[in-house]
Amino acid sequence: MQNIDYDMKVKLIHGFSNKTRIQILESIKEKEKTVTQIVEELKGNQSNISQHLACLKGCGIIVGRNEGKYIYYSLRNQHIRDLLTMFDVVLEDVENDVARCDRHID
């Protein structure tokens, strides 16, 4: 049996546990984008979006590619894309329960 590092698992899941980070991930799910493009799409604050991008990159969920003066952000790989899709599938199945859950801790 494989030894599970729960702390590492929690750190990874934390990368997905913020509304803005999820919006960013959905924004770049199909196509890489610059910070400016993401900010415009989300109608967000550039500084805030950049902080969330740094978190996602630090967690290994996204990667950045330099081209000239721009950095293009994309999902790290197909596994991350699949995981985002799986979140949607699971949520569809348990949405009513999640909506009623009063034990969520921020």
Side-chain angles (χ1 to χ4, degrees), residues 20-32:
T20 300
R21 289 194 292 271
I22 291 292
Q23 289 174 313
I24 291 169
L25 293 171
E26 291 294 336
S27 171
I28 64 174
K29 188 174 180 180
E30 301 302 328
K31 180 183 174 191
E32 65 180 6

Side-chain angles (χ1 to χ4, degrees), residues 19-83:
K19 181 179 177 179
T20 300
R21 289 194 292 271
I22 291 292
Q23 289 174 313
I24 291 169
L25 293 171
E26 291 294 336
S27 171
I28 64 174
K29 188 174 180 180
E30 301 302 328
K31 180 183 174 191
E32 65 180 6
K33 294 181 182 166
T34 65
V35 175
T36 303
Q37 291 172 315
I38 295 167
V39 168
E40 289 174 1
E41 183 176 326
L42 301 182
K43 297 175 179 54
N45 172 285
Q46 193 271 333
S47 175
N48 183 267
I49 299 290
S50 291
Q51 288 177 357
H52 286 292
L53 286 166
C55 174
L56 291 166
K57 191 173 179 187
C59 288
I61 297 170
I62 66 171
V63 293
R65 176 181 67 81
N66 290 325
E67 186 175 302
K69 65 178 185 173
Y70 298 103
I71 300 175
Y72 287 85
Y73 292 96
S74 61
L75 300 181
R76 180 182 191 99
N77 55 35
Q78 185 62 41
H79 294 298
I80 301 295
R81 188 173 289 102
D82 293 345
L83 186 55

